[in-house]
Amino acid sequence: MKDTQPRTIYLKDYRAPEYLVDRTELTFDLDPYATLVKSRLSVRRNPDANGTDTLPALWLDGVDLELLSIAIDGELLPAHRYTEKPGGLLLNVDKSAFVLEVQTRIAPEANTSLEGLYLSNGMYCTQCEAEGFRKITFYPDRPDVMSVFTTTIVAPANYPVLLSNGNKIDSGTTADGRLTVTWEDPFAKPSYLFALVAGDLQFVEDRFVTCSGREVTLQLYTEPKNIGKCEHAMTSLKHSMKWDEEVYGREYDLDIFMIVAVDHFNMGAMENKGLNIFNSACVLASPETATDAAFQRIEAIVAHEYFHNWSGNRVTCRDWFQLSLKEGFTVFRDAEFSADMNSRAVKRIEDVTVLRTAQFAEDAGPMAHPVRPDSYMEISNFYTLTVYEKGAEVVRMIHTILGADGFRRGSDLYFERHDGQAVTCEDFIVAMEDANGADLQQFRRWYSQAGTPVLDVEDTYDMETQEYRLTIRQHTPDSPGQVDKLPLHIPVSIALLGRSGSALPLDSSGEVERVLHVTETCQEFVFGNIPERPLPSLLRGFSAPVKLRYGYSVEQLLFLMRHDSDPFNQWDAGQRLAFDALSSLQQAYRNGTELELPESLIDGLSAVLENTRLDPALVAKMLALPSAQELTEQGGEIDAPAIIAARNFVRDGVAKTLKPQFRARYEALNVQKPYCPTASDIAERSLKNTCLSYLCATGDQEMLALAEAQLARDDNMTDSAAALAALVEFGPADKAQAHLDAFYRQWQQDTQVVETWFGLQSSSPTFGTLDRVRALMQHSAFEFKNPNKVRAVIGGFAMRNFAQFHAPDGSGYAFLAEQVIALDKLNPQIAARIVTPLTRWRKYRAEQSTQIQAALKTVRDSGELSRDLYEVVSKSLA
Ligand code: 0A1
Ligand code: ZN
């Protein structure tokens, strides 16, 4: 642990910057160990800073930089005029406007943190969000300092592609034969949106004509071996550009838009102005190498980064506490885009599953924070599911409250009012209010209160008066540093189903669905003229990120599964049925009583499986049992062995009982046709492979042979990976190993497939033992410095292999602690993320809890931790 604790930064301490930088001119002379960075900044006093008449010192952030020289207005600054401090440089200033020139040296090759300028497979690239620019040069590295950037790159001739933000304004060759290119970005931007790429890259090119008739060049750059994997991303980009024009009226603003794929990247992608940089896994795809899930993920991430051009770049954040301003809004935008491009219901189910599994856990854990946090030690730790996904739910609720037209009026006003500014979440809400004459005063609490609200719903029906009453109580549990929370404004969408299964009219207009505005701790809603006792369909489409409790009986859930016109609630009814059954079975397992198959669940699933009128993608979702991770969210102490026993018991029982139906649907869907990532084909493959997985779970030789045949057919990665996963999980280990070896031989040249291959093994509850995971880490294709490989092998084991990670001897926990300690020396951001499973120790039953806590203490006591890891570990043990 550190001798001095990292400093906590508070939102309440925000002060406007003392100085602004109107122009930033950068020159990079690239070298792996000694890149020379020259900056020339036009600095002036900020008229809006609330300082005094005397000129304050100028603070420039800087980390891991070798300072070579500083000059003001062409005069070298003597040493007494500045002080180098941890994290930056303090300059004595005697003018209110001046040109500051700074020269620094950096070593991209030694940069394993993947923040700032670094090398990935010999390619130079940058990652500056949130605070990476300070690893490039001394600078006021904060988002409210916006500047017009000009960037010159000088590099040896074996780096023919030299890219930065904006438009290329010059290029040539130096006297000593090196290449040089200059880029200018006309839009003022914060340093976190700066980007530079240099390498021996190839590109594919296309064009897009905007709604006002401007032609934009689109380029996608990769290492030469991946040039055949760009088409899908390019198509996704064009779809995104069109969608943003049609749905939000947002037009692209530069003449060129570039995307670059890099193999070493901490996150999914980055929205640098005009030059998006992507993790290769989030942009490269071909039918032979990428699964349907990867195709859809790529489409969503390409859209997300593109949409940031307005929600993030043209209008950016004032400070990092406002991160959800750009992320929550942009995730909402990309989710709606994906819903429009694919199955809306399935997209919603997938998003809500992530939210309930991982975000709810975060919101109930030691790192819980509001969508707009009040404080942080390390901002990289706050790129969270709460800021992104819950933030998107908050924006979705505004959309629900204002309606589609009102929301569009609000977003138009927001973009118009704040174009070119760095603003706050409050500015976003005010724009929404002003454009609609709406009052979102109480709604604002969603931004400041952490924790997942719980809604308890009860109902009564009076046959005499034909009145139906819903009573809704809300409560948000305490979270670290926040107690006694105030009631929120929660939009709860409902319908009332009659005996026939159709929704009853709620008023004389015939309206059958209504949004209830829950604003009080306890509130009653009365519906008149309801001719029969209805069954409520509550929180339709998951209209708010809450836990809803209503005492549905098994029969009522079966009824909703069959009749609810809201596909989300149809699915959710099945999930509730499974949750309830699995929870009773866990109890029986603990009591040592015999486990009995829940007949009603089997009946429900059987009906779903035979329903050929339902979208096959929805059927596949309805057939899937809640994952072990989802089951940990049931409340009460987590008992890992009981969860695993109960879930395996039900899965095997469903597989055996419904085997003929699974077989029939599998056969019907197992037709050979050319691969196409269209929504309908994806839907069919997802149901086919769900059936295959259940069939293989029976362990029958004949069923495993179906998977072998599918694997041998080898005509698309979705089917191959699903077949291989089933064989690895349910087949004999020696055969599984043989299939895995053959698969590796076939795909060893393809980085993305090898990552899939790693992940499939480490996350397999049967095959992915700790010994095998350790062996994978010795494999020649494993690279500890590559976050994708680490996420596939170590993350696959610790985050997606519930059974093996929670081995009763605690070995999984000790292993993760060991890896986290090693990773922290190389890449603190990744270490602080991958430690997450250990931070949940309080939720587990006694023995496991002690083991997990002990592993976390090993990390704490291992020596000096990065600020990233220190924050997570210390808050988790507090
Ligand atoms: N703004 C990007 C995500 C991102 C955030 C941080 C990064 O490095 C620490 C990298 C990317 C997005 O939302 O896509
Ligand atoms: Zn984003």
Side-chain angles (χ1 to χ4, degrees), residues 791-810:
R791 277 186 282 254
V793 176
I794 303 171
F797 177 72
M799 294 173 166
R800 292 183 292 283
N801 190 347
F802 195 77
Q804 299 291 342
F805 177 62
H806 292 288
D809 62 0

mmCIF file with all atom_site columns, all heavy atoms in Angstrom, residues 791-810:
data_model
loop_
_atom_site.group_PDB
_atom_site.id
_atom_site.type_symbol
_atom_site.label_atom_id
_atom_site.label_alt_id
_atom_site.label_comp_id
_atom_site.label_asym_id
_atom_site.label_entity_id
_atom_site.label_seq_id
_atom_site.pdbx_PDB_ins_code
_atom_site.Cartn_x
_atom_site.Cartn_y
_atom_site.Cartn_z
_atom_site.occupancy
_atom_site.B_iso_or_equiv
_atom_site.pdbx_formal_charge
_atom_site.auth_seq_id
_atom_site.auth_comp_id
_atom_site.auth_asym_id
_atom_site.auth_atom_id
_atom_site.pdbx_PDB_model_num
ATOM 1   N N   . ARG A 1 791 ? -8.372  -10.410 -20.698 1.00 0.00 ? 791 ARG A N   1
ATOM 2   C CA  . ARG A 1 791 ? -9.819  -10.491 -20.465 1.00 0.00 ? 791 ARG A CA  1
ATOM 3   C C   . ARG A 1 791 ? -10.350 -11.864 -20.859 1.00 0.00 ? 791 ARG A C   1
ATOM 4   O O   . ARG A 1 791 ? -11.213 -12.423 -20.195 1.00 0.00 ? 791 ARG A O   1
ATOM 5   C CB  . ARG A 1 791 ? -10.554 -9.416  -21.273 1.00 0.00 ? 791 ARG A CB  1
ATOM 6   C CG  . ARG A 1 791 ? -10.581 -8.054  -20.581 1.00 0.00 ? 791 ARG A CG  1
ATOM 7   C CD  . ARG A 1 791 ? -11.453 -7.081  -21.357 1.00 0.00 ? 791 ARG A CD  1
ATOM 8   N NE  . ARG A 1 791 ? -10.753 -6.573  -22.520 1.00 0.00 ? 791 ARG A NE  1
ATOM 9   C CZ  . ARG A 1 791 ? -10.251 -5.336  -22.616 1.00 0.00 ? 791 ARG A CZ  1
ATOM 10  N NH1 . ARG A 1 791 ? -10.380 -4.494  -21.619 1.00 0.00 ? 791 ARG A NH1 1
ATOM 11  N NH2 . ARG A 1 791 ? -9.626  -4.943  -23.697 1.00 0.00 ? 791 ARG A NH2 1
ATOM 12  N N   . ALA A 1 792 ? -9.810  -12.420 -21.976 1.00 0.00 ? 792 ALA A N   1
ATOM 13  C CA  . ALA A 1 792 ? -10.314 -13.721 -22.438 1.00 0.00 ? 792 ALA A CA  1
ATOM 14  C C   . ALA A 1 792 ? -9.958  -14.815 -21.429 1.00 0.00 ? 792 ALA A C   1
ATOM 15  O O   . ALA A 1 792 ? -10.820 -15.610 -21.046 1.00 0.00 ? 792 ALA A O   1
ATOM 16  C CB  . ALA A 1 792 ? -9.732  -14.053 -23.814 1.00 0.00 ? 792 ALA A CB  1
ATOM 17  N N   . VAL A 1 793 ? -8.708  -14.853 -20.992 1.00 0.00 ? 793 VAL A N   1
ATOM 18  C CA  . VAL A 1 793 ? -8.282  -15.987 -20.163 1.00 0.00 ? 793 VAL A CA  1
ATOM 19  C C   . VAL A 1 793 ? -8.579  -15.723 -18.674 1.00 0.00 ? 793 VAL A C   1
ATOM 20  O O   . VAL A 1 793 ? -9.303  -16.492 -18.041 1.00 0.00 ? 793 VAL A O   1
ATOM 21  C CB  . VAL A 1 793 ? -6.779  -16.287 -20.387 1.00 0.00 ? 793 VAL A CB  1
ATOM 22  C CG1 . VAL A 1 793 ? -6.322  -17.399 -19.464 1.00 0.00 ? 793 VAL A CG1 1
ATOM 23  C CG2 . VAL A 1 793 ? -6.551  -16.680 -21.851 1.00 0.00 ? 793 VAL A CG2 1
ATOM 24  N N   . ILE A 1 794 ? -8.036  -14.643 -18.143 1.00 0.00 ? 794 ILE A N   1
ATOM 25  C CA  . ILE A 1 794 ? -8.219  -14.411 -16.694 1.00 0.00 ? 794 ILE A CA  1
ATOM 26  C C   . ILE A 1 794 ? -9.649  -13.930 -16.419 1.00 0.00 ? 794 ILE A C   1
ATOM 27  O O   . ILE A 1 794 ? -10.325 -14.414 -15.510 1.00 0.00 ? 794 ILE A O   1
ATOM 28  C CB  . ILE A 1 794 ? -7.172  -13.399 -16.170 1.00 0.00 ? 794 ILE A CB  1
ATOM 29  C CG1 . ILE A 1 794 ? -5.764  -13.918 -16.491 1.00 0.00 ? 794 ILE A CG1 1
ATOM 30  C CG2 . ILE A 1 794 ? -7.343  -13.175 -14.678 1.00 0.00 ? 794 ILE A CG2 1
ATOM 31  C CD1 . ILE A 1 794 ? -4.644  -12.940 -16.219 1.00 0.00 ? 794 ILE A CD1 1
ATOM 32  N N   . GLY A 1 795 ? -10.127 -12.990 -17.255 1.00 0.00 ? 795 GLY A N   1
ATOM 33  C CA  . GLY A 1 795 ? -11.501 -12.500 -17.095 1.00 0.00 ? 795 GLY A CA  1
ATOM 34  C C   . GLY A 1 795 ? -12.510 -13.610 -17.364 1.00 0.00 ? 795 GLY A C   1
ATOM 35  O O   . GLY A 1 795 ? -13.519 -13.724 -16.667 1.00 0.00 ? 795 GLY A O   1
ATOM 36  N N   . GLY A 1 796 ? -12.267 -14.422 -18.366 1.00 0.00 ? 796 GLY A N   1
ATOM 37  C CA  . GLY A 1 796 ? -13.179 -15.530 -18.686 1.00 0.00 ? 796 GLY A CA  1
ATOM 38  C C   . GLY A 1 796 ? -13.343 -16.443 -17.482 1.00 0.00 ? 796 GLY A C   1
ATOM 39  O O   . GLY A 1 796 ? -14.451 -16.893 -17.167 1.00 0.00 ? 796 GLY A O   1
ATOM 40  N N   . PHE A 1 797 ? -12.259 -16.678 -16.803 1.00 0.00 ? 797 PHE A N   1
ATOM 41  C CA  . PHE A 1 797 ? -12.287 -17.548 -15.625 1.00 0.00 ? 797 PHE A CA  1
ATOM 42  C C   . PHE A 1 797 ? -12.945 -16.844 -14.421 1.00 0.00 ? 797 PHE A C   1
ATOM 43  O O   . PHE A 1 797 ? -13.857 -17.380 -13.802 1.00 0.00 ? 797 PHE A O   1
ATOM 44  C CB  . PHE A 1 797 ? -10.847 -17.949 -15.282 1.00 0.00 ? 797 PHE A CB  1
ATOM 45  C CG  . PHE A 1 797 ? -10.721 -18.788 -14.044 1.00 0.00 ? 797 PHE A CG  1
ATOM 46  C CD1 . PHE A 1 797 ? -11.132 -20.120 -14.034 1.00 0.00 ? 797 PHE A CD1 1
ATOM 47  C CD2 . PHE A 1 797 ? -10.191 -18.248 -12.880 1.00 0.00 ? 797 PHE A CD2 1
ATOM 48  C CE1 . PHE A 1 797 ? -11.009 -20.891 -12.884 1.00 0.00 ? 797 PHE A CE1 1
ATOM 49  C CE2 . PHE A 1 797 ? -10.063 -19.011 -11.730 1.00 0.00 ? 797 PHE A CE2 1
ATOM 50  C CZ  . PHE A 1 797 ? -10.476 -20.341 -11.736 1.00 0.00 ? 797 PHE A CZ  1
ATOM 51  N N   . ALA A 1 798 ? -12.504 -15.645 -14.122 1.00 0.00 ? 798 ALA A N   1
ATOM 52  C CA  . ALA A 1 798 ? -12.956 -14.990 -12.882 1.00 0.00 ? 798 ALA A CA  1
ATOM 53  C C   . ALA A 1 798 ? -14.340 -14.360 -13.015 1.00 0.00 ? 798 ALA A C   1
ATOM 54  O O   . ALA A 1 798 ? -15.051 -14.215 -12.026 1.00 0.00 ? 798 ALA A O   1
ATOM 55  C CB  . ALA A 1 798 ? -11.940 -13.928 -12.467 1.00 0.00 ? 798 ALA A CB  1
ATOM 56  N N   . MET A 1 799 ? -14.713 -13.990 -14.239 1.00 0.00 ? 799 MET A N   1
ATOM 57  C CA  . MET A 1 799 ? -15.991 -13.276 -14.370 1.00 0.00 ? 799 MET A CA  1
ATOM 58  C C   . MET A 1 799 ? -17.067 -14.099 -15.058 1.00 0.00 ? 799 MET A C   1
ATOM 59  O O   . MET A 1 799 ? -18.243 -13.793 -14.929 1.00 0.00 ? 799 MET A O   1
ATOM 60  C CB  . MET A 1 799 ? -15.787 -11.979 -15.144 1.00 0.00 ? 799 MET A CB  1
ATOM 61  C CG  . MET A 1 799 ? -14.912 -11.006 -14.380 1.00 0.00 ? 799 MET A CG  1
ATOM 62  S SD  . MET A 1 799 ? -14.516 -9.573  -15.350 1.00 0.00 ? 799 MET A SD  1
ATOM 63  C CE  . MET A 1 799 ? -13.887 -8.457  -14.127 1.00 0.00 ? 799 MET A CE  1
ATOM 64  N N   . ARG A 1 800 ? -16.687 -15.113 -15.811 1.00 0.00 ? 800 ARG A N   1
ATOM 65  C CA  . ARG A 1 800 ? -17.705 -15.871 -16.541 1.00 0.00 ? 800 ARG A CA  1
ATOM 66  C C   . ARG A 1 800 ? -17.675 -17.363 -16.247 1.00 0.00 ? 800 ARG A C   1
ATOM 67  O O   . ARG A 1 800 ? -18.415 -18.125 -16.845 1.00 0.00 ? 800 ARG A O   1
ATOM 68  C CB  . ARG A 1 800 ? -17.556 -15.621 -18.057 1.00 0.00 ? 800 ARG A CB  1
ATOM 69  C CG  . ARG A 1 800 ? -17.909 -14.195 -18.470 1.00 0.00 ? 800 ARG A CG  1
ATOM 70  C CD  . ARG A 1 800 ? -17.822 -13.982 -19.955 1.00 0.00 ? 800 ARG A CD  1
ATOM 71  N NE  . ARG A 1 800 ? -16.466 -14.061 -20.452 1.00 0.00 ? 800 ARG A NE  1
ATOM 72  C CZ  . ARG A 1 800 ? -15.550 -13.094 -20.331 1.00 0.00 ? 800 ARG A CZ  1
ATOM 73  N NH1 . ARG A 1 800 ? -15.853 -11.967 -19.716 1.00 0.00 ? 800 ARG A NH1 1
ATOM 74  N NH2 . ARG A 1 800 ? -14.334 -13.241 -20.809 1.00 0.00 ? 800 ARG A NH2 1
ATOM 75  N N   . ASN A 1 801 ? -16.825 -17.797 -15.343 1.00 0.00 ? 801 ASN A N   1
ATOM 76  C CA  . ASN A 1 801 ? -16.781 -19.221 -15.010 1.00 0.00 ? 801 ASN A CA  1
ATOM 77  C C   . ASN A 1 801 ? -17.080 -19.378 -13.530 1.00 0.00 ? 801 ASN A C   1
ATOM 78  O O   . ASN A 1 801 ? -16.189 -19.640 -12.698 1.00 0.00 ? 801 ASN A O   1
ATOM 79  C CB  . ASN A 1 801 ? -15.387 -19.786 -15.337 1.00 0.00 ? 801 ASN A CB  1
ATOM 80  C CG  . ASN A 1 801 ? -15.352 -21.298 -15.252 1.00 0.00 ? 801 ASN A CG  1
ATOM 81  O OD1 . ASN A 1 801 ? -16.282 -21.905 -14.721 1.00 0.00 ? 801 ASN A OD1 1
ATOM 82  N ND2 . ASN A 1 801 ? -14.291 -21.893 -15.763 1.00 0.00 ? 801 ASN A ND2 1
ATOM 83  N N   . PHE A 1 802 ? -18.345 -19.217 -13.216 1.00 0.00 ? 802 PHE A N   1
ATOM 84  C CA  . PHE A 1 802 ? -18.781 -19.189 -11.824 1.00 0.00 ? 802 PHE A CA  1
ATOM 85  C C   . PHE A 1 802 ? -18.382 -20.472 -11.092 1.00 0.00 ? 802 PHE A C   1
ATOM 86  O O   . PHE A 1 802 ? -17.894 -20.433 -9.962  1.00 0.00 ? 802 PHE A O   1
ATOM 87  C CB  . PHE A 1 802 ? -20.305 -19.022 -11.830 1.00 0.00 ? 802 PHE A CB  1
ATOM 88  C CG  . PHE A 1 802 ? -20.882 -18.615 -10.526 1.00 0.00 ? 802 PHE A CG  1
ATOM 89  C CD1 . PHE A 1 802 ? -20.792 -17.302 -10.091 1.00 0.00 ? 802 PHE A CD1 1
ATOM 90  C CD2 . PHE A 1 802 ? -21.529 -19.536 -9.721  1.00 0.00 ? 802 PHE A CD2 1
ATOM 91  C CE1 . PHE A 1 802 ? -21.331 -16.917 -8.874  1.00 0.00 ? 802 PHE A CE1 1
ATOM 92  C CE2 . PHE A 1 802 ? -22.073 -19.165 -8.506  1.00 0.00 ? 802 PHE A CE2 1
ATOM 93  C CZ  . PHE A 1 802 ? -21.977 -17.856 -8.078  1.00 0.00 ? 802 PHE A CZ  1
ATOM 94  N N   . ALA A 1 803 ? -18.557 -21.601 -11.772 1.00 0.00 ? 803 ALA A N   1
ATOM 95  C CA  . ALA A 1 803 ? -18.333 -22.891 -11.103 1.00 0.00 ? 803 ALA A CA  1
ATOM 96  C C   . ALA A 1 803 ? -16.875 -23.076 -10.701 1.00 0.00 ? 803 ALA A C   1
ATOM 97  O O   . ALA A 1 803 ? -16.566 -23.429 -9.559  1.00 0.00 ? 803 ALA A O   1
ATOM 98  C CB  . ALA A 1 803 ? -18.784 -24.030 -12.019 1.00 0.00 ? 803 ALA A CB  1
ATOM 99  N N   . GLN A 1 804 ? -15.962 -22.823 -11.623 1.00 0.00 ? 804 GLN A N   1
ATOM 100 C CA  . GLN A 1 804 ? -14.553 -23.082 -11.312 1.00 0.00 ? 804 GLN A CA  1
ATOM 101 C C   . GLN A 1 804 ? -13.935 -21.963 -10.475 1.00 0.00 ? 804 GLN A C   1
ATOM 102 O O   . GLN A 1 804 ? -13.116 -22.222 -9.598  1.00 0.00 ? 804 GLN A O   1
ATOM 103 C CB  . GLN A 1 804 ? -13.740 -23.262 -12.604 1.00 0.00 ? 804 GLN A CB  1
ATOM 104 C CG  . GLN A 1 804 ? -14.194 -24.425 -13.461 1.00 0.00 ? 804 GLN A CG  1
ATOM 105 C CD  . GLN A 1 804 ? -13.897 -25.790 -12.812 1.00 0.00 ? 804 GLN A CD  1
ATOM 106 O OE1 . GLN A 1 804 ? -13.089 -25.909 -11.898 1.00 0.00 ? 804 GLN A OE1 1
ATOM 107 N NE2 . GLN A 1 804 ? -14.570 -26.819 -13.292 1.00 0.00 ? 804 GLN A NE2 1
ATOM 108 N N   . PHE A 1 805 ? -14.331 -20.744 -10.749 1.00 0.00 ? 805 PHE A N   1
ATOM 109 C CA  . PHE A 1 805 ? -13.761 -19.631 -9.982  1.00 0.00 ? 805 PHE A CA  1
ATOM 110 C C   . PHE A 1 805 ? -14.106 -19.778 -8.500  1.00 0.00 ? 805 PHE A C   1
ATOM 111 O O   . PHE A 1 805 ? -13.292 -19.474 -7.622  1.00 0.00 ? 805 PHE A O   1
ATOM 112 C CB  . PHE A 1 805 ? -14.279 -18.290 -10.528 1.00 0.00 ? 805 PHE A CB  1
ATOM 113 C CG  . PHE A 1 805 ? -13.793 -17.096 -9.758  1.00 0.00 ? 805 PHE A CG  1
ATOM 114 C CD1 . PHE A 1 805 ? -12.436 -16.802 -9.691  1.00 0.00 ? 805 PHE A CD1 1
ATOM 115 C CD2 . PHE A 1 805 ? -14.687 -16.267 -9.080  1.00 0.00 ? 805 PHE A CD2 1
ATOM 116 C CE1 . PHE A 1 805 ? -11.973 -15.698 -8.963  1.00 0.00 ? 805 PHE A CE1 1
ATOM 117 C CE2 . PHE A 1 805 ? -14.229 -15.165 -8.354  1.00 0.00 ? 805 PHE A CE2 1
ATOM 118 C CZ  . PHE A 1 805 ? -12.870 -14.895 -8.292  1.00 0.00 ? 805 PHE A CZ  1
ATOM 119 N N   . HIS A 1 806 ? -15.303 -20.280 -8.233  1.00 0.00 ? 806 HIS A N   1
ATOM 120 C CA  . HIS A 1 806 ? -15.718 -20.437 -6.834  1.00 0.00 ? 806 HIS A CA  1
ATOM 121 C C   . HIS A 1 806 ? -15.424 -21.840 -6.305  1.00 0.00 ? 806 HIS A C   1
ATOM 122 O O   . HIS A 1 806 ? -16.155 -22.342 -5.438  1.00 0.00 ? 806 HIS A O   1
ATOM 123 C CB  . HIS A 1 806 ? -17.207 -20.100 -6.686  1.00 0.00 ? 806 HIS A CB  1
ATOM 124 C CG  . HIS A 1 806 ? -17.509 -18.651 -6.908  1.00 0.00 ? 806 HIS A CG  1
ATOM 125 N ND1 . HIS A 1 806 ? -17.164 -17.665 -6.013  1.00 0.00 ? 806 HIS A ND1 1
ATOM 126 C CD2 . HIS A 1 806 ? -18.070 -18.002 -7.961  1.00 0.00 ? 806 HIS A CD2 1
ATOM 127 C CE1 . HIS A 1 806 ? -17.531 -16.477 -6.488  1.00 0.00 ? 806 HIS A CE1 1
ATOM 128 N NE2 . HIS A 1 806 ? -18.076 -16.654 -7.674  1.00 0.00 ? 806 HIS A NE2 1
ATOM 129 N N   . ALA A 1 807 ? -14.386 -22.478 -6.797  1.00 0.00 ? 807 ALA A N   1
ATOM 130 C CA  . ALA A 1 807 ? -14.007 -23.811 -6.290  1.00 0.00 ? 807 ALA A CA  1
ATOM 131 C C   . ALA A 1 807 ? -13.889 -23.729 -4.765  1.00 0.00 ? 807 ALA A C   1
ATOM 132 O O   . ALA A 1 807 ? -13.339 -22.745 -4.237  1.00 0.00 ? 807 ALA A O   1
ATOM 133 C CB  . ALA A 1 807 ? -12.679 -24.229 -6.906  1.00 0.00 ? 807 ALA A CB  1
ATOM 134 N N   . PRO A 1 808 ? -14.418 -24.734 -4.059  1.00 0.00 ? 808 PRO A N   1
ATOM 135 C CA  . PRO A 1 808 ? -14.510 -24.644 -2.590  1.00 0.00 ? 808 PRO A CA  1
ATOM 136 C C   . PRO A 1 808 ? -13.174 -24.413 -1.883  1.00 0.00 ? 808 PRO A C   1
ATOM 137 O O   . PRO A 1 808 ? -13.151 -23.858 -0.783  1.00 0.00 ? 808 PRO A O   1
ATOM 138 C CB  . PRO A 1 808 ? -15.094 -26.006 -2.195  1.00 0.00 ? 808 PRO A CB  1
ATOM 139 C CG  . PRO A 1 808 ? -15.754 -26.526 -3.419  1.00 0.00 ? 808 PRO A CG  1
ATOM 140 C CD  . PRO A 1 808 ? -15.050 -25.946 -4.597  1.00 0.00 ? 808 PRO A CD  1
ATOM 141 N N   . ASP A 1 809 ? -12.058 -24.782 -2.505  1.00 0.00 ? 809 ASP A N   1
ATOM 142 C CA  . ASP A 1 809 ? -10.771 -24.602 -1.810  1.00 0.00 ? 809 ASP A CA  1
ATOM 143 C C   . ASP A 1 809 ? -10.245 -23.160 -1.895  1.00 0.00 ? 809 ASP A C   1
ATOM 144 O O   . ASP A 1 809 ? -9.179  -22.855 -1.343  1.00 0.00 ? 809 ASP A O   1
ATOM 145 C CB  . ASP A 1 809 ? -9.729  -25.575 -2.365  1.00 0.00 ? 809 ASP A CB  1
ATOM 146 C CG  . ASP A 1 809 ? -9.447  -25.328 -3.845  1.00 0.00 ? 809 ASP A CG  1
ATOM 147 O OD1 . ASP A 1 809 ? -10.063 -24.401 -4.423  1.00 0.00 ? 809 ASP A OD1 1
ATOM 148 O OD2 . ASP A 1 809 ? -8.617  -26.059 -4.429  1.00 0.00 ? 809 ASP A OD2 1
ATOM 149 N N   . GLY A 1 810 ? -10.968 -22.296 -2.584  1.00 0.00 ? 810 GLY A N   1
ATOM 150 C CA  . GLY A 1 810 ? -10.549 -20.879 -2.639  1.00 0.00 ? 810 GLY A CA  1
ATOM 151 C C   . GLY A 1 810 ? -9.404  -20.627 -3.607  1.00 0.00 ? 810 GLY A C   1
ATOM 152 O O   . GLY A 1 810 ? -8.892  -19.502 -3.696  1.00 0.00 ? 810 GLY A O   1
#
